[in-house]
Amino acid sequence: MAVGSMNIEEGTVYPAKTTFQVCLCCMIAAVGGLMFGYDIGISGGVTSMDTFLIDFFPHVYEKKHRVHENNYCKFDDQLLQLFTSSLYLAGIFASLVASYFSRAFGRKPTIILASIFFLAGALLNLSAQNLGMLIGGRILLGCGIGFGNQTVPLFISEIAPPRFRGGLSVMFQFLITVGILAASCVNYLTSTLKNGWRYSLGGAAVPALILLVGSFFIHETPASLIERGKDEKGKEVLRKIRGVEDVDLEFHEIKRATEVAAKVKSPFKELFSKRENRPPLVCGTLLQFFQQFTGINVVMFYAPVLFQGSGNNASLISTVVTNGVNACATILSIALVDNAGRRCLLMEGALQMTITQMTIGGILLAHLKLVGSITGHAVPLIVLILICVYVSGFAWSWGPLGWLVPSEIYPLEVRNAGYFCAVAMNMVCTFIIGQFFLSALCRLRSFLFFFFGAMNIIMGLFVVFFLPETRGVPIEEMAERRWKTHPRWKKYFKD
């Protein structure tokens, strides 16, 4: 299907078609999101399985089944939280290594390594006999997540035509939601099996194998090839993915960017020392910080706990419903992001999440006591509906755009370093929430929802005053057409 890849607004027109090669490369690479999503979804379900707790955390199992145990403190255990959060510590260091590896050897080999690490971690967890093996497997999974999250969004942003970059990049977040949904279904099927947790954790090998095999059928990005001196190969790939012979305009723009990048010997020093790199650095890292502090982890974790009083089936069904809404709403983001724009979706999402978080917090404050199930026959259903509204707001805004916008705002010479800062911020915040969320929930109880509601207000104001619209702008032209004209950031480009 031929579609002129013309920018939505004024600027250069790059001749292009929406080719099968581009769609195939983006879909295969986005399986990295499936790996990440599966892990997010599986760990919460596994840590609530009795057989898993008996094998590795018997003291948590005993506390969980006490008749008068505090609703907010059932899973407050630092070792149990370390099982979840150890992955993200490994991911931080893996992302740093991947930022150098990707620049030196290319995006494609980095994606292959991500799948190998993840596959090894899944197999180690499948065969785990003690807590050491379990944590070791999580660390390997973290290395896979670090390499994948560092590289896949950049790969998609560089290979997609500017006009459709948003929709194609959101596929990464869409497959994260599919992974979460698949994990909740797997947990549902394995929860009653003996050693069902092994099947759940071992299931992570499936998306890893898909990515590993699929990685051999994708092209390296033209920007990466040209950056490493392979100009002819880069132009050849550019012709294949754009579906036209005349790619000189885009090729020369990439070539110009790579010549600037070649002069930079230390990308991290360049990133932190040059004034003109501060706007994308601040916006990219803060977007990932805010994405994690939307409160999505609170809602996604606590949804099944809220309904435990109604039986395990109700608890698991509520999880599947919310994860299904998450996936469906992300599809809407794919359709809207290149039409409505990034800023519009982010502002609307922040408002929607603020209202629902505050409402859920108020309901829990009134109806969920320290001991016993939630009071009121209609209240669980009302809370489930509010959770679905909240999740949909996240899924079409901060969920996908927290990954998309940082991947498209950095100049090539600091792109790997800048995107590492964004990914590292994501991993640090996820680690903090994973390691301390259950403890905070135990102490703050329903007031935690009010805290995240307030954070959503701050996020919305940040977008209004500091984030430029990046829709339809070629990555290499972002500084000229967006940062230099933004009222808050143009002062950094006076020289």
Side-chain angles (χ1 to χ4, degrees):
M1 177 178 67
V3 181
S5 182
M6 181 168 53
N7 299 333
I8 303 296
E9 300 173 350
E10 83 286 352
T12 309
V13 178
Y14 292 153
K17 300 176 182 178
T18 305
T19 64
F20 172 76
Q21 290 289 343
V22 164
C23 295
L24 179 66
C25 287
C26 291
M27 283 190 292
I28 290 174
V31 174
L34 186 66
M35 294 194 315
F36 189 30
Y38 185 87
D39 182 80
I40 292 172
I42 214 70
S43 55
V46 165
T47 53
S48 64
M49 289 184 184
D50 286 348
T51 53
F52 176 80
L53 294 175
I54 290 170
D55 287 346
F56 296 101
F57 304 96
H59 56 290
V60 178
Y61 171 79
E62 292 174 6
K63 185 165 66 170
K64 176 185 175 184
H65 289 278
R66 288 174 191 160
V67 176
H68 299 295
E69 182 58 38
N70 189 320
N71 273 313
Y72 294 97
C73 301
K74 288 181 179 180
F75 300 97
D76 178 19
D77 181 82
Q78 288 299 308
L79 276 178
L80 181 61
Q81 291 174 94
L82 182 62
F83 163 74
T84 300
S85 60
S86 57
L87 178 146
Y88 302 104
L89 273 183
I92 295 168
F93 294 104
S95 297
L96 178 61
V97 174
S99 69
Y100 286 102
F101 188 91
S102 178
R103 191 182 191 204
F105 300 102
R107 316 295 192 220
K108 180 176 175 177
T110 312
I111 293 173
I112 292 173
L113 267 180
S115 61
I116 292 172
F117 277 126
F118 203 82
L119 179 61
L123 295 177
L124 187 57
N125 276 345
L126 173 66
S127 58
Q129 300 299 318
N130 52 58
L131 189 57
M133 290 181 69
L134 202 64
I135 299 298
R138 295 290 292 173
I139 290 171
L140 285 172
L141 290 172
C143 292
I145 293 298
F147 269 67
N149 287 6
Q150 171 67 26
T151 311
V152 169
L154 287 180
F155 175 91
I156 297 174
S157 284
E158 289 180 348
I159 212 163
R163 187 178 178 185
F164 301 104
R165 186 177 64 238
L168 290 171
S169 295
V170 170
M171 288 173 59
F172 177 72
Q173 174 67 19
F174 172 63
L175 285 184
I176 289 178
T177 65
V178 171
I180 295 172
L181 177 60
S184 63
C185 293
V186 169
N187 280 336
Y188 177 80
L189 294 173
T190 61
S191 60
T192 57
L193 300 178
K194 182 181 179 181
N195 292 327
W197 61 268
R198 291 190 184 276
Y199 302 111
S200 292
L201 294 178
V206 175
L209 278 171
I210 295 172
L211 183 61
L212 178 60
V213 174
S215 295
F216 291 97
F217 296 93
I218 64 177
H219 294 293
E220 182 58 90
T221 70
S224 178
L225 288 166
I226 297 167
E227 185 180 24
R228 290 179 288 124
K230 302 179 180 181
D231 290 12
E232 289 305 313
K233 180 65 175 175
K235 184 177 279 191
E236 178 188 338
V237 171
L238 200 55
R239 289 194 183 103
K240 287 181 180 178
I241 63 176
R242 296 293 179 255
V244 295
E245 288 298 314
D246 182 17
V247 294
D248 288 345
L249 198 60
E250 187 172 3
F251 173 80
H252 288 303
E253 183 59 33
I254 296 172
K255 182 66 177 175
R256 182 198 63 79
T258 59
E259 287 171 353
V260 174
K263 298 175 184 177
V264 177
K265 302 305 178 185
S266 176
F268 282 94
K269 183 179 178 181
E270 182 84 2
L271 177 67
F272 290 108
S273 63
K274 291 187 71 173
R275 281 171 55 85
E276 56 264 39
N277 288 326
R278 290 177 197 171
L281 176 63
V282 170
C283 289
T285 51
L286 281 181
L287 278 168
Q288 283 287 2
F289 171 83
F290 285 136
Q291 185 203 57
Q292 291 307 302
F293 280 88
T294 55
I296 187 65
N297 295 292
V298 177
V299 171
M300 296 302 279
F301 173 84
Y302 211 61
V305 179
L306 288 173
F307 301 96
Q308 279 187 353
S310 304
N312 284 333
N313 282 341
S315 172
L316 289 167
I317 289 170
S318 73
T319 306
V320 173
V321 168
T322 53
N323 290 335
V325 169
N326 194 16
C328 292
T330 306
I331 296 175
L332 188 60
S333 180
I334 295 174
L336 292 176
V337 68
D338 286 316
N339 295 303
R342 283 60 157 159
R343 278 167 49 86
C344 177
L345 291 179
L346 288 169
M347 288 186 289
E348 191 284 330
L351 178 62
Q352 186 170 328
M353 290 188 290
T354 298
I355 294 170
T356 48
Q357 282 272 34
M358 296 291 192
T359 308
I360 292 170
I363 290 175
L364 294 185
L365 185 62
H367 294 279
L368 184 62
K369 307 306 178 185
L370 292 182
V371 177
S373 59
I374 196 167
T375 60
H377 295 295
V379 173
L381 178 60
I382 294 170
V383 171
L384 178 60
I385 293 170
L386 285 169
I387 286 173
C388 290
V389 174
Y390 168 85
V391 168
S392 66
F394 175 85
W396 63 51
S397 62
W398 288 86
L401 300 186
W403 293 104
L404 167 61
V405 176
S407 73
E408 61 185 4
I409 60 177
Y410 292 101
L412 182 61
E413 61 268 23
V414 296
R415 189 169 299 157
N416 283 301
Y419 197 68
F420 161 74
C421 292
V423 173
M425 178 63 77
N426 176 281
M427 296 290 180
V428 168
C429 292
T430 308
F431 169 76
I432 291 170
I433 290 173
Q435 187 64 38
F436 302 108
F437 156 64
L438 294 176
S439 300
L441 184 66
C442 180
R443 287 154 182 81
L444 296 176
R445 302 194 289 274
S446 59
F447 289 101
L448 201 57
F449 289 86
F450 296 115
F451 167 77
F452 286 116
M455 287 297 299
N456 281 294
I457 295 174
I458 296 171
M459 290 158 43
L461 294 173
F462 166 77
V463 173
V464 171
F465 293 108
F466 293 100
L467 189 69
E469 178 56 67
T470 59
R471 174 186 57 167
V473 181
I475 297 176
E476 286 74 22
E477 297 182 18
M478 200 65 69
E480 290 291 332
R481 295 178 51 193
R482 286 297 179 263
W483 299 115
K484 287 185 179 181
T485 59
H486 193 276
R488 294 288 186 282
W489 299 118
K490 61 184 180 182
K491 63 183 178 183
Y492 290 91
F493 295 87
K494 284 183 179 179
D495 295 336

